[in-house]
Amino acid sequence: MLSSDELIRYSRQTMVKDIGEDGQLRLRNASILIVGMGGLGNPVSLYLNAAGIGNLYLTDDDQVDITNLQRQIMFTEGDVGINKSDTAKLHLEKRNSNTNIEAVDERLDQELCDYYFPLVDLVIDCTDNIATRYLLNKNALAYSVPLIIGAATGFDGQAMFINPNIDDSACYQCLFPESNQAPVDNCQTIGIVGPVLSIIAGSQALMAIKHLAGLTIETNQLTLFDGRALSIQKLKVNRQPKCPACGE
């Protein structure tokens, strides 16, 4: 059961018909690995912490830089020079002490994947590093852990839910085959308008809440956001039979 404090704190969320107290309990019992605490990881972790996720693992080996403050909305000028995951943990704990938060101030590698993937119910990709995205995809398939990917540059963003536990669910390599060189553009090469990150991160957080609360999320669907036109497009992504990651 939820405590009296939790019933009050999350009352606006439990009022939602498809969530209720049972859904809130699912969120409290859930564990999420958030990889990358930059422009996407900031709002994703803020929303999930506020929503009452029980356990958050935050990974990032980078330090807060003055150029981050334009879009990484959790950080302040006083955080410059400090590790992002450590700083995020401190800020989030002040907002919701009910969430258990572990900061991992290292770049995710196979050893860390082997340790953390068995501990979590969901992984959220908030990186801008292609090699890390392939690593996350590989381990999501190996450990049968759902993965929510997200990316944004300029005025544009995209998000997708990957669930290896569902037959015919396409993976990241179905969308961006490694052999064909997946896109390498990021905010360091072509820039980013801050609110675009919040829109994509909000989509990722919403997918996480829906999935963990037991609601259905459509797989094999890439959501594209065009910030110039303020439009959203949904594209069908088919699982590739010859995909080197998930193909037969």
Side-chain angles (χ1 to χ4, degrees):
M1 292 179 59
L2 296 174
S3 68
S4 57
D5 288 342
E6 288 173 318
L7 287 170
I8 295 171
R9 182 178 192 122
Y10 305 116
S11 60
R12 298 301 184 271
Q13 188 160 272
T14 56
M15 283 180 185
V16 178
K17 180 180 178 181
D18 290 332
I19 295 182
E21 187 172 349
D22 287 344
Q24 192 64 48
L25 283 168
R26 286 172 177 257
L27 298 182
R28 187 181 72 181
N29 294 329
S31 297
I32 299 177
L33 172 65
I34 302 175
V35 183
M37 287 307 302
L40 290 173
N42 269 224
V44 163
S45 61
L46 283 166
Y47 274 122
L48 295 179
N49 178 52
I53 299 299
N55 301 281
L56 292 176
Y57 300 97
L58 316 176
T59 71
D60 201 310
D61 67 336
D62 198 9
Q63 295 179 338
V64 179
D65 184 82
I66 190 69
T67 61
N68 300 148
L69 302 184
Q70 163 259 346
R71 63 198 179 280
Q72 298 180 17
I73 57 175
M74 193 189 323
F75 300 143
T76 68
E77 292 178 355
D79 298 324
V80 173
I82 304 174
N83 175 264
K84 290 182 179 181
S85 58
D86 291 334
T87 304
K89 172 181 166 67
L90 294 175
H91 285 297
L92 293 171
E93 287 176 337
K94 293 176 182 178
R95 289 171 165 82
N96 189 351
S97 59
N98 293 328
T99 300
N100 299 314
I101 302 171
E102 181 176 331
V104 184
D105 58 359
E106 302 176 55
R107 180 179 291 273
L108 193 78
D109 58 15
Q110 186 58 54
E111 183 178 358
L112 289 174
C113 286
D114 290 335
Y115 181 80
Y116 284 103
F117 269 72
L119 302 180
V120 300
D121 305 291
L122 181 67
V123 175
I124 304 182
D125 170 19
C126 297
T127 71
D128 60 1
N129 181 284
I130 294 298
T132 302
R133 287 178 181 160
Y134 286 127
L135 180 66
L136 290 174
N137 184 69
K138 168 188 169 184
N139 283 279
L141 297 172
Y143 287 100
S144 298
V145 177
L147 171 66
I148 299 174
I149 63 172
T153 53
F155 281 94
D156 304 315
Q158 58 184 279
M160 180 175 169
F161 180 75
I162 297 168
N163 191 347
N165 300 297
I166 295 178
D167 291 341
D168 295 326
S169 176
C171 77
Y172 183 72
Q173 280 211 59
C174 291
L175 185 61
F176 296 118
E178 188 170 10
S179 59
N180 290 349
Q181 297 184 341
V184 295
D185 289 332
N186 56 40
C187 64
Q188 293 181 0
T189 59
I190 61 176
I192 180 67
V193 180
V196 174
L197 289 160
S198 291
I199 291 168
I200 299 304
S203 300
Q204 290 179 288
L206 181 58
M207 284 190 273
I209 290 170
K210 287 179 61 179
H211 173 70
L212 295 171
L215 304 179
T216 300
I217 303 177
E218 188 170 352
T219 56
N220 295 2
Q221 179 176 275
L222 178 67
T223 299
L224 300 175
F225 173 71
D226 180 344
R228 288 184 178 84
L230 290 179
S231 64
I232 292 177
Q233 183 179 11
K234 297 180 180 180
L235 300 181
K236 179 72 173 178
V237 179
N238 294 319
R239 182 178 181 184
Q240 301 301 309
K242 295 184 179 180
C243 172
C246 71
E248 298 178 357

Coordinates of all heavy atoms in Angstrom, one line a residue, residues 12 14 17 33-34 36 42 51 55 57 66-67 86 94 103 111 114 117 128 138 147 194 219 231:
R12 N -2.4 13.7 -7.7 CA -2.8 14.1 -9.0 C -2.5 13.1 -10.1 O -3.1 13.0 -11.1 CB -2.1 15.5 -9.4 CG -2.4 16.6 -8.5 CD -3.9 16.9 -8.5 NE -4.3 18.1 -7.7 CZ -4.5 18.1 -6.4 NH1 -4.5 16.9 -5.7 NH2 -4.8 19.2 -5.7
T14 N -2.3 9.6 -9.3 CA -3.2 8.5 -9.1 C -4.6 8.7 -9.4 O -5.4 7.8 -9.6 CB -3.1 8.0 -7.6 OG1 -3.4 9.1 -6.7 CG2 -1.7 7.6 -7.2
K17 N -7.1 7.7 -14.4 CA -7.8 6.5 -14.4 C -6.9 5.3 -14.7 O -7.0 4.2 -14.1 CB -9.0 6.5 -15.5 CG -9.8 5.2 -15.5 CD -10.9 5.4 -16.6 CE -11.7 4.1 -16.7 NZ -12.8 4.2 -17.7
L33 N 17.5 2.5 -15.3 CA 18.9 2.9 -15.6 C 18.8 4.0 -16.6 O 18.3 3.8 -17.7 CB 19.7 1.8 -16.1 CG 21.1 2.1 -16.6 CD1 22.0 2.6 -15.5 CD2 21.8 0.9 -17.3
I34 N 19.3 5.2 -16.3 CA 19.3 6.4 -17.2 C 20.8 6.6 -17.6 O 21.6 6.9 -16.8 CB 18.7 7.6 -16.6 CG1 17.3 7.4 -16.1 CG2 18.8 8.8 -17.6 CD1 16.7 8.6 -15.4
G36 N 23.4 8.7 -19.5 CA 23.6 10.1 -20.0 C 22.8 11.1 -19.2 O 21.6 11.0 -19.2
N42 N 18.7 15.1 -18.0 CA 18.2 16.1 -16.9 C 16.7 16.0 -16.8 O 16.2 15.7 -15.7 CB 18.6 17.5 -17.3 CG 20.0 17.9 -16.7 OD1 20.1 19.0 -16.2 ND2 21.0 17.0 -16.7
A51 N 7.7 11.6 -10.4 CA 6.6 10.6 -10.5 C 6.6 9.5 -9.5 O 5.7 8.8 -9.4 CB 6.7 10.0 -11.9
N55 N 13.7 3.5 -7.8 CA 15.1 3.4 -7.9 C 15.6 3.9 -9.2 O 15.1 3.5 -10.3 CB 15.6 1.9 -7.8 CG 15.2 1.3 -6.4 OD1 15.8 1.5 -5.4 ND2 14.1 0.5 -6.5
Y57 N 19.2 4.7 -11.4 CA 20.6 4.6 -11.6 C 21.0 5.6 -12.7 O 20.6 5.5 -13.8 CB 21.0 3.2 -11.9 CG 20.6 2.2 -10.9 CD1 19.5 1.4 -11.1 CD2 21.4 1.9 -9.8 CE1 19.1 0.5 -10.1 CE2 21.1 1.0 -8.9 CZ 19.9 0.2 -9.0 OH 19.5 -0.7 -8.1
I66 N 30.0 25.1 -18.6 CA 29.2 26.3 -18.7 C 28.3 26.3 -20.0 O 27.2 26.8 -20.0 CB 30.1 27.6 -18.7 CG1 29.2 28.8 -18.6 CG2 30.9 27.6 -20.0 CD1 28.6 29.0 -17.3
T67 N 28.8 25.6 -21.0 CA 28.0 25.5 -22.2 C 26.8 24.6 -22.1 O 25.8 24.6 -22.9 CB 28.8 25.0 -23.4 OG1 29.3 23.6 -23.1 CG2 30.0 25.9 -23.7
D86 N 26.8 12.7 -10.3 CA 26.9 13.1 -8.8 C 26.1 14.3 -8.5 O 25.3 14.4 -7.5 CB 28.3 13.3 -8.4 CG 29.2 12.1 -8.4 OD1 28.6 11.0 -8.3 OD2 30.4 12.2 -8.6
K94 N 17.0 16.3 -3.3 CA 16.3 17.5 -2.6 C 14.8 17.6 -3.0 O 14.0 18.1 -2.3 CB 17.0 18.8 -3.0 CG 18.4 18.9 -2.4 CD 19.1 20.1 -2.8 CE 20.5 20.2 -2.3 NZ 21.2 21.4 -2.8
A103 N 24.4 7.2 -8.2 CA 25.2 7.9 -9.3 C 26.4 7.0 -9.7 O 27.1 6.5 -8.8 CB 25.7 9.3 -8.8
E111 N 31.1 -4.1 -18.8 CA 31.2 -4.5 -17.4 C 30.0 -3.9 -16.6 O 29.4 -4.6 -15.8 CB 32.5 -4.2 -16.7 CG 32.7 -4.7 -15.3 CD 34.0 -4.4 -14.7 OE1 34.9 -3.8 -15.4 OE2 34.2 -4.7 -13.5
D114 N 26.7 -5.5 -17.6 CA 26.5 -6.8 -16.9 C 26.1 -6.7 -15.5 O 25.4 -7.5 -15.0 CB 27.8 -7.6 -17.0 CG 28.2 -8.0 -18.4 OD1 27.2 -8.1 -19.3 OD2 29.3 -8.3 -18.7
F117 N 22.1 -4.1 -15.8 CA 21.0 -4.5 -16.6 C 20.1 -5.5 -15.8 O 18.9 -5.5 -15.8 CB 21.4 -5.1 -17.9 CG 21.4 -4.0 -19.0 CD1 22.4 -3.0 -19.0 CD2 20.4 -4.0 -20.0 CE1 22.4 -2.1 -20.0 CE2 20.4 -3.1 -21.0 CZ 21.4 -2.1 -21.0
D128 N 24.5 10.9 -26.4 CA 24.7 11.4 -27.8 C 25.9 10.7 -28.4 O 26.6 11.3 -29.3 CB 24.9 12.9 -27.8 CG 26.1 13.4 -27.0 OD1 26.8 12.5 -26.4 OD2 26.3 14.6 -26.9
K138 N 22.5 -3.8 -27.7 CA 23.0 -5.1 -27.6 C 22.6 -5.7 -26.2 O 22.2 -6.9 -26.2 CB 24.5 -5.1 -27.7 CG 25.2 -6.4 -27.3 CD 26.8 -6.2 -27.3 CE 27.5 -7.4 -26.7 NZ 28.9 -7.1 -26.6
L147 N 14.0 -0.9 -23.7 CA 14.9 0.3 -23.9 C 14.2 1.4 -24.6 O 13.4 1.2 -25.6 CB 16.1 -0.2 -24.8 CG 17.1 0.9 -25.3 CD1 17.8 1.6 -24.2 CD2 18.0 0.3 -26.4
G194 N 17.1 24.3 -26.7 CA 16.8 23.6 -25.5 C 15.5 23.0 -25.3 O 15.4 21.8 -24.9
T219 N 5.1 -0.7 -30.1 CA 6.5 -0.9 -30.5 C 6.6 -0.7 -32.0 O 5.6 -0.5 -32.7 CB 7.0 -2.3 -30.2 OG1 6.1 -3.3 -30.7 CG2 7.1 -2.5 -28.7
S231 N 5.4 20.0 -35.3 CA 4.6 18.8 -35.8 C 5.3 17.5 -35.3 O 6.5 17.5 -35.0 CB 4.5 18.8 -37.3 OG 5.8 18.6 -37.9

